[in-house]
Amino acid sequence: MDRERERETGGEADLAAVRLEKLRELCDRGIRPYGGRFNVTATAEDITGDFDRQNGRSVTLAGRITARRSHGKAGFADLLDGTGRIQLYARRDDVGEDVYWLFDHLDIGDIVGVTGTVFRTRKGEISVALTDLVMLAKSLRPWPEKWHGLTDVELRYRSRYLDLVVNPQVRRVFRMRSELIRFLRNFLNERGFLEVETPMMHPIPGGAAARPFVTHHNALDMDLFLRIAPELYLKRLLVGGMERVYEINRNFRNEGISTRHNPEFTMLELYQAYADYHDMMDLVEAMIPAAAQHLLGRSRVGPDGGEPDLSPPWPRLTMAEAVRRFAGIDFGPLATDAAAREAVAGLVPVEPGDTWGRLLNRVFEEKVEEQLIRPTFIMDYPLEISPLAKRIEDRPGLTYRFELFIGGREIANAFSELNDPRDQRERFEKQAARHAGGDPEAHRMDEDFLTALEYGMPPAGGMGIGIDRLVMILTGAPSIRDVILFPLLRPREEGSGD
């Protein structure tokens, strides 16, 4: 039976039945349909990348069959391994009846091990002429018909294993993601930072303004919260004398899902004692262009090397300057909360309790962010939305905080860290009052963290970088789901076919 017979049978259940029949045939002939260890001596990339050295050599490969073409006593197949595609050639007189029977009964998706000699066909295609073939895993489900691309987005995300096999560009994205994380580790290690691990279950959620996920520890009979940020634990390490630390961490925030948000995401968070937010700007301004150069060989990261251009130096604007430049509103003269509410009414939603600082931030988020295509530092955030950042003493209501935007997306968030335990307690109290008043994203009171601060935390710069969004920038991915292997999705509806 071949691919044509599968097509003739019609529905997916019928196609699966054809494959089950083939499985029985294999077993009846004494062929193990699910093999064991297989010694691989070469890859598709080894052979195609260095044909002159490989030509005429005997090689052993393993991978998945993605196409097969029979021509009586000979046939061709395409094998896909972790490095790429290579053509296989089988001739009955060379491999014998049993091996050729197995070759002739392969299905798309079967995983096989092959041994053969490297050569180039008359049409110029680098190939492997088989001398032996073993079955390593029989595929019992029909694979997508079009191996040049799986285009159903919902199916791609739900069945990432299909997506990775069918779409080479998807494999490239996730290899690049892995290489990016390796590069960031090396970059920080070379600068004296120490990688650490902090808890993922917290008795008190903190370190960011976000609604947490709640779980329960049975043995201790206590509720715990999945980490929304590692910040307060990493700062405890500063108190303990670990002066440069970082963590590549998974965070969990019980929020909406969009092209830029997934409830489970990856952050790089780092802290450097005796530094401030200017040092953090210098660090990330060196780190990201270096990563782009390492991964892409260029600084322009848009389609075909277009915008945005990551070449430093990057503009540095205060939030008020950015709102004035891009939204045409000057918050400087708006000295009171009432004046700010009146000035922005009709431009953004306004609530009775909104303050000058919250309105400044809301105008920025709704009218400015998406315009920041070129890498841009937005500095000096309002105090009421920055409960962990050091205040600017001569500019009441503002803090030493910046966010980095690239391609209209927030990529990094950084502070000159607040290390005054009295100021921190006062801000926690205000946040706790907001939480008690119904704000699920407000900080809670964390007495243990305050105790640590009272022992003395050195002045420091701290920064969080969104790994998922950075991968989006470097790969040109339109959605965060394209750079997370298994994004969270709604359950399939009853009877759904995907």
Side-chain angles (χ1 to χ4, degrees):
M1 295 173 223
D2 54 20
R3 188 69 170 177
E4 285 69 32
R5 177 172 172 181
E6 281 196 345
R7 292 195 192 99
E8 290 171 2
T9 60
E12 184 173 340
D14 292 333
L15 297 178
V18 171
R19 291 185 176 229
L20 282 172
E21 184 179 337
K22 283 191 174 183
L23 178 68
R24 287 190 290 271
E25 288 185 74
L26 292 174
C27 295
D28 290 344
R29 294 178 71 97
I31 298 172
R32 295 170 59 198
Y34 299 99
R37 182 181 183 277
F38 188 79
N39 186 38
V40 173
T41 65
T43 67
E45 185 177 59
D46 293 336
I47 296 169
T48 58
D50 191 6
F51 174 73
D52 290 340
R53 190 172 68 87
Q54 298 288 348
N55 188 18
R57 286 191 174 188
S58 177
V59 294
T60 303
L61 305 93
R64 193 181 295 275
I65 298 298
T66 62
R68 189 174 62 80
R69 304 166 295 282
S70 293
H71 304 285
K73 296 183 179 182
F76 292 91
D78 292 342
L79 181 141
L80 180 72
D81 66 11
T83 67
R85 186 192 68 85
I86 187 77
Q87 179 172 268
L88 307 179
Y89 171 70
R91 186 169 175 268
R92 181 184 297 174
D93 292 345
D94 295 334
V95 299
E97 289 290 338
D98 290 342
V99 170
Y100 193 78
W101 180 93
L102 177 57
F103 178 84
D104 200 40
H105 284 72
L106 291 176
D107 283 319
I108 303 302
D110 287 349
I111 298 175
V112 299
V114 301
T115 300
T117 303
V118 177
F119 78 109
R120 192 189 293 272
T121 67
R122 286 195 297 269
K123 293 184 177 180
E125 182 157 2
I126 297 171
S127 306
V128 175
L130 299 190
T131 57
D132 197 13
L133 167 69
V134 296
M135 179 70 73
L136 298 178
K138 179 65 184 171
S139 176
L140 297 181
R141 285 182 175 266
W143 280 69
E145 186 74 23
K146 296 181 179 179
W147 281 83
H148 65 270
L150 179 64
T151 57
D152 185 320
V153 173
E154 185 76 7
L155 179 58
R156 286 182 52 227
Y157 297 149
R158 291 192 185 280
S159 302
R160 184 66 86 185
Y161 42 88
L162 295 178
D163 193 24
L164 288 167
V165 173
V166 174
N167 292 321
Q169 70 275 17
V170 173
R171 297 195 298 276
R172 286 194 293 271
V173 165
F174 288 104
R175 287 198 186 97
M176 185 177 293
R177 180 188 175 107
S178 179
E179 181 59 31
L180 171 65
I181 292 173
R182 183 183 300 114
F183 175 86
L184 296 177
R185 279 195 168 100
N186 292 338
F187 185 95
L188 292 173
N189 292 343
E190 290 171 359
R191 285 157 180 78
F193 285 84
L194 180 68
E195 184 172 10
V196 298
E197 295 174 304
T198 61
M200 295 181 69
M201 294 189 296
H202 294 181
I204 300 172
R211 184 195 297 255
F213 288 96
V214 184
T215 187
H216 187 79
H217 192 291
N218 291 331
L220 297 178
D221 191 24
M222 64 182 292
D223 284 342
L224 293 167
F225 303 90
L226 296 186
R227 174 171 63 194
I228 59 175
E231 178 166 346
L232 302 189
Y233 284 90
L234 292 172
K235 286 181 177 178
R236 286 171 169 90
L237 300 181
L238 293 178
V239 174
M242 301 175 74
E243 295 180 351
R244 296 190 181 203
V245 293
Y246 74 93
E247 183 174 10
I248 296 174
N249 55 84
R250 300 291 282 178
N251 293 326
F252 307 85
R253 299 183 184 178
N254 200 347
E255 58 189 14
I257 299 175
S258 72
T259 57
R260 301 186 183 187
H261 296 88
N262 192 69
E264 179 182 2
F265 61 97
T266 304
M267 289 278 290
L268 163 64
E269 194 148 328
L270 63 92
Y271 291 85
Q272 179 179 341
Y274 312 113
D276 65 8
Y277 78 154
H278 290 290
D279 296 295
M280 297 297 100
M281 289 186 214
D282 293 342
L283 184 66
V284 73
E285 195 174 36
M287 180 189 296
I288 292 180
Q293 196 64 39
H294 175 76
L295 294 170
L296 305 172
R298 63 178 189 268
S299 61
R300 292 186 180 271
V301 296
D304 301 318
E307 294 293 345
D309 185 355
L310 302 183
S311 301
W314 298 339
R316 303 185 180 194
L317 301 172
T318 67
M319 181 180 280
E321 288 171 342
V323 167
R324 184 168 61 249
R325 178 180 300 185
F326 292 98
I329 299 178
D330 188 351
F331 269 75
L334 306 178
T336 67
D337 297 341
R341 285 195 291 270
E342 181 179 351
V344 303
L347 185 65
V348 296
V350 178
E351 300 174 5
D354 279 336
T355 62
W356 179 94
R358 290 187 177 279
L359 289 170
L360 171 64
N361 183 62
R362 190 170 302 149
V363 173
F364 173 79
E365 288 182 340
E366 298 196 12
K367 301 299 179 182
V368 178
E369 276 191 16
E370 64 182 15
Q371 300 185 62
L372 302 176
I373 304 304
R374 183 185 178 191
T376 304
F377 292 113
I378 300 299
M379 308 160 53
D380 305 350
Y381 276 55
L383 180 68
E384 55 263 58
I385 63 167
S386 309
L388 297 165
K390 189 182 289 289
R391 69 174 73 230
I392 302 175
E393 295 296 342
D394 60 350
R395 297 172 65 194
L398 298 177
T399 63
Y400 291 111
R401 173 186 176 188
F402 77 78
E403 289 183 320
L404 169 65
F405 291 86
I406 304 176
R409 306 183 183 106
E410 176 206 338
I411 301 299
N413 184 25
F415 312 149
S416 293
E417 300 297 338
L418 176 59
N419 63 339
D420 182 342
R422 301 164 303 169
D423 190 355
Q424 186 66 82
R425 178 176 293 276
E426 180 182 339
R427 297 199 212 176
F428 274 172
E429 288 172 348
K430 291 180 179 178
Q431 287 285 312
R434 290 184 61 86
H435 183 265
D439 184 351
E441 296 188 352
H443 277 260
R444 323 284 176 90
M445 180 63 71
D446 191 333
E447 289 290 351
D448 184 74
F449 175 68
L450 290 170
T451 298
L453 282 189
E454 289 170 355
Y455 281 100
M457 187 185 87
M463 177 166 57
I465 299 174
I467 296 295
D468 307 310
R469 290 185 181 179
L470 182 54
V471 176
M472 290 174 67
I473 293 295
L474 294 175
T475 62
S479 170
I480 196 170
R481 295 181 179 185
D482 293 317
V483 301
I484 296 175
L485 279 168
F486 301 103
L488 185 65
L489 301 168
R490 292 184 184 276
R492 287 189 179 96
E493 295 182 4
E494 190 72 24
S496 173
D498 57 84

